[in-house]
Every structure is written in structure tokens, then in C-alpha cells.
Amino acid sequence: MLNEPKRPIALLGVPLEAGTGRRGAAMGPAALRVADLEGRLSALGWQVEDLGDLAPLDKTTVAPLRLDGAAHLPETVAAWVRPLCDRAYEISAGGKLPIFLGGDHSLSMGSVSGVARHWQDEGRSLFVLWLDAHADFNTPETSPSGNMHGMSLALAAGEPSLAPVMGDTPRATVAPERMCVFGARSIDPGERRLLRERGVTVCDMRQIDENGVSILMREFLNKVKSENGVLHVSLDVDFLDPDIAPGVGTTVPGGATYREAHLVMELLEDAGVTVSLDVVELNPFLDERGRSAIALAELVASLFGQDVMDRPTQAFA
């Protein structure tokens, strides 16, 4: 959130699961609501409106997409992310801070594109913080699986091979040098090459272990503030270690601890530059008594001001 009067929060469910290789992520928005995400934010003094769930386009209205390489169900993904791009733009332009409740990570194709369009209109540069075990910077040519939730950041960065997914939907892209993948521990070979060529910042778990969360996060957030930028945060459940949040279909051992994840959120709250948020890949079918949904709701609350103790806001250079 910006260091300005609080923008009202708008929750929008996106029960999309076509971008992943297994069923269940479509139940994610409902699980986050059961975890009382709205109530937690309201208790912190935020004005919150739940806009319900997004409705996709009729798939028969989406022309067949020709993507060179492997891409599963691209028309189904397009039927969700095209209207989501429009809604993300409308919510942001209406002065609200959108939180997109997923659904798999392919929804970020629409959320980031629409939010970026609004902030481009405002003359502000949008940055993206990708909290994820994966970089999601594959294209159909590089993807080993063809699952489109692994291509969402590449589309947001404007990779031309993915442009047909958005069709003629008005949108904006984010410069790759304004992207930071934080917490990565599983990146495919072709994806690694693309990340280097495009100049995306990647803070993998080794860097986090060696330097700590605080140093790396402050470095990125100082860059956002130095350009008078704003920030979209995209939080994937698998950013967390699976011992904390097992409710995801793409578990990778060695993820962020509960304390590290909360520190990330508290530093984001201190910086005051967040204007939109994705919460994605929650699969309640794989969860244990709602543990993952509750952990995510608690993390979002930390991002929006829930502290253990009141403390002075830390200055960013």
C-alpha cells in the first residue's frame, strides 16, 4: 500500500486451475474466505469489499491459439485472463487496491497486465515481486511440462511468443529489470537462460541463506522507491516450505520459513509501495485442516499492518 491515505481493498476470486497439471486450485478463493481474510483486514482498519468471483469468457468465443511449443489449454487460460486484465485495470483505476485470490499462477497474466496498464496511465513504473519456488518465466518453447502457470511472469514481461494469449485485450507489460523473483529453488534450464538474458533479478534460497531476507528485500524495495515506482506482489503458496503450507500441487523442499515469510511481508508494509497482490496456487484438496489457507491469510494480514508490537517504521534509503 502507498504511503498515502489508505486505498480501499477489493477482493476478487479467480477460481482458475487450467494453468496447472492437477485439479483443486479452483477451490482456493473459497478457502481463503473461510480463513477469514476479509475479517482479518477489516480488523486492521481497512475498508474491504469482496467482489465475488470472476466469470470467464465463454470458451467458444476464444479463437484457437497457435503457440509454438508446449502449452496446455491456452484457450481456457485466455478465457480467464483476458477479462481479469480488464477487471484489474478497472479496480485499480477506481482507486482500490486489488487482492486477487487464486486459482493457479496463470491468473497473474491478467492481474499484472491490467494493473500495469493503470499505473502506466498514471505515469508510474510498476515493479513485480514474485514470491515463489519457481520463476514462472518459461515460454512454450522452453517449458518441459507445457503448464501455463509456469509462463505467467514471462507473459507479464512481454515475451512475444505468449502475446496471443491476451489477444487484443488492452494491457501493459512490466520491464524485466523491474522484476524480482524471491525464494526460487526450482528453475528449468531454458528458463534460467531467459531470466539472465532479460535481466530479471533472482534471489534464490542460497542467496537468502547467505544474506538474509532483510538485506535482499531492502535492496529491491529501495530500487522501487528510487524510481518513484509502485509494486505488485505475487505470492505463491510454494514460496513457503511445504512443512508450513502443504496445500499446493508444486511442493519444493527448502522454502521460506514462517518467520522469514512474515519478515518479507512486514518489510513490504514498511516500504508502503504495494498497490496490488496475488495469492495463488492454494489447493485445499491437498491441505491439512486448512493450515495453508490460514498461513496465507496471516501473511496477507502482515503485509497490511498486523504486527506483534507497534514499532517505528524503518526508513528506506
Side-chain angles (χ1 to χ4, degrees):
M1 53 315 236
L2 297 175
N3 285 324
E4 299 169 359
K6 287 184 176 181
R7 296 159 62 87
I9 291 173
L11 306 179
L12 181 66
V14 189
L16 161 63
E17 61 184 16
T20 184
R22 62 192 308 167
R23 303 285 299 275
M27 298 185 289
L32 289 165
R33 291 183 174 109
V34 171
D36 197 25
L37 178 58
E38 180 178 356
R40 293 171 192 268
L41 297 173
S42 296
L44 294 169
W46 291 86
Q47 180 184 337
V48 185
E49 180 182 8
D50 190 338
L51 302 177
D53 288 349
L54 180 80
L57 300 173
D58 185 333
K59 286 188 291 185
T60 62
T61 66
V62 179
L65 300 181
R66 292 181 174 83
L67 302 176
D68 293 332
H72 298 317
L73 302 175
E75 293 85 7
T76 303
V77 171
W80 283 94
V81 299
R82 292 178 186 180
L84 177 55
C85 181
D86 291 335
R87 288 291 282 136
Y89 175 79
E90 292 166 3
I91 294 168
S92 297
K96 295 181 179 179
L97 191 158
I99 301 179
F100 305 99
L101 310 178
D104 73 63
H105 220 156
S106 63
L107 73 83
S108 298
M109 295 178 174
S111 62
V112 176
S113 298
V115 170
R117 179 187 165 207
H118 164 66
W119 289 102
Q120 179 176 269
D121 289 351
E122 295 293 310
R124 304 282 296 275
S125 297
L126 184 71
F127 288 70
V128 173
L129 178 65
W130 205 257
L131 300 171
D132 201 323
H134 309 86
D136 297 339
F137 212 85
N138 270 306
T139 65
E141 299 96 330
T142 66
S143 174
S145 69
N147 291 329
M148 297 200 71
H149 67 167
M151 307 180 196
S152 41
L153 192 59
L155 183 144
E159 284 298 314
S161 61
L162 287 164
V165 175
M166 299 305 297
D168 58 2
T169 304
R171 66 186 182 107
T173 58
V174 177
E177 61 271 19
R178 294 194 176 105
M179 295 177 164
C180 177
V181 177
F182 198 88
R185 51 197 190 276
S186 177
I187 298 178
D188 298 313
E191 184 181 28
R192 186 181 300 117
R193 175 184 56 79
L194 264 183
L195 288 162
R196 287 174 176 161
E197 289 178 356
R198 303 300 187 254
V200 177
T201 298
V202 179
C203 297
D204 62 19
M205 288 308 298
R206 172 171 175 167
Q207 290 172 276
I208 293 171
D209 289 342
E210 289 183 346
N211 299 284
V213 165
S214 181
I215 289 174
L216 296 171
M217 280 294 298
R218 287 182 183 280
E219 184 175 308
F220 177 66
L221 291 170
N222 283 335
K223 181 179 178 182
V224 177
K225 293 177 79 71
S226 71
E227 295 189 27
N228 191 33
V230 291
L231 181 64
H232 177 91
V233 178
S234 200
L235 172 61
D236 190 310
V237 184
D238 70 20
F239 170 64
L240 294 163
D241 191 85
D243 286 344
I244 301 165
V248 61
T250 52
T251 55
V252 184
T257 66
Y258 190 77
R259 288 172 61 184
E260 287 172 330
H262 274 281
L263 178 56
V264 168
M265 296 300 160
E266 289 167 1
L267 290 169
L268 288 169
E269 198 268 336
D270 288 348
V273 293
T274 302
V275 295
S276 48
L277 171 69
D278 303 323
V279 185
V280 301
E281 294 287 349
L282 174 61
N283 188 331
F285 187 76
L286 303 174
D287 205 2
E288 299 172 2
R289 296 188 174 185
R291 284 175 59 200
S292 304
I294 292 169
L296 286 172
E298 290 174 343
L299 286 174
V300 174
S302 285
L303 172 55
F304 289 92
Q306 181 173 285
D307 299 321
V308 176
M309 290 287 290
D310 292 335
R311 65 194 191 286
T313 299
Q314 297 294 313
F316 280 77

